[in-house]
Amino acid sequence: MAKSKNHTNHNQSVKNHKNGIKGPLPLYKNNSARGSWLPALVNARRVRKSNQKAAKAARRERLAAHKAKHA
């Protein structure tokens, strides 16, 4: 009597790619702030906003320096 087949990977990659292999979700889509301590959430929102302002100001400075250098 012949031995039976133990394992095969046939067609598995086709099945996996049929709907596309999707990467992991970004962290900001997984984290829900619901039920968290409200003062901490308000502070985090303010920090995010000030960080964005600082980043915009730094970007403007870099662009101004670049324009001055190449003008």
Side-chain angles (χ1 to χ4, degrees), residues 16-34:
N16 289 336
H17 284 83
K18 184 176 180 184
N19 293 319
I21 296 180
K22 296 174 179 64
L25 279 176
L27 288 177
Y28 69 88
K29 288 192 173 186
N30 293 332
N31 297 341
S32 171
R34 187 174 179 186

Side-chain angles (χ1 to χ4, degrees), residues 1-4 6 9-10 16 18 23 25 29 31 34 42-43 51 55 61 65 67-68 70:
M1 188 167 162
K3 292 185 176 180
S4 61
N6 288 324
N9 209 21
H10 179 70
N16 289 336
K18 184 176 180 184
L25 279 176
K29 288 192 173 186
N31 297 341
R34 187 174 179 186
V42 172
N43 186 45
N51 285 346
E61 289 175 12
K67 286 179 181 178
H70 292 285

Side-chain angles (χ1 to χ4, degrees), residues 33-49:
R34 187 174 179 186
S36 297
W37 190 44
L38 194 58
L41 291 179
V42 172
N43 186 45
R45 196 177 307 137
R46 288 182 180 148
V47 167
R48 264 199 312 272
K49 194 167 187 177

Side-chain angles (χ1 to χ4, degrees), residues 2-16:
K3 292 185 176 180
S4 61
K5 180 179 281 263
N6 288 324
H7 175 71
T8 182
N9 209 21
H10 179 70
N11 203 37
Q12 294 307 307
S13 62
V14 174
K15 285 162 55 177
N16 289 336

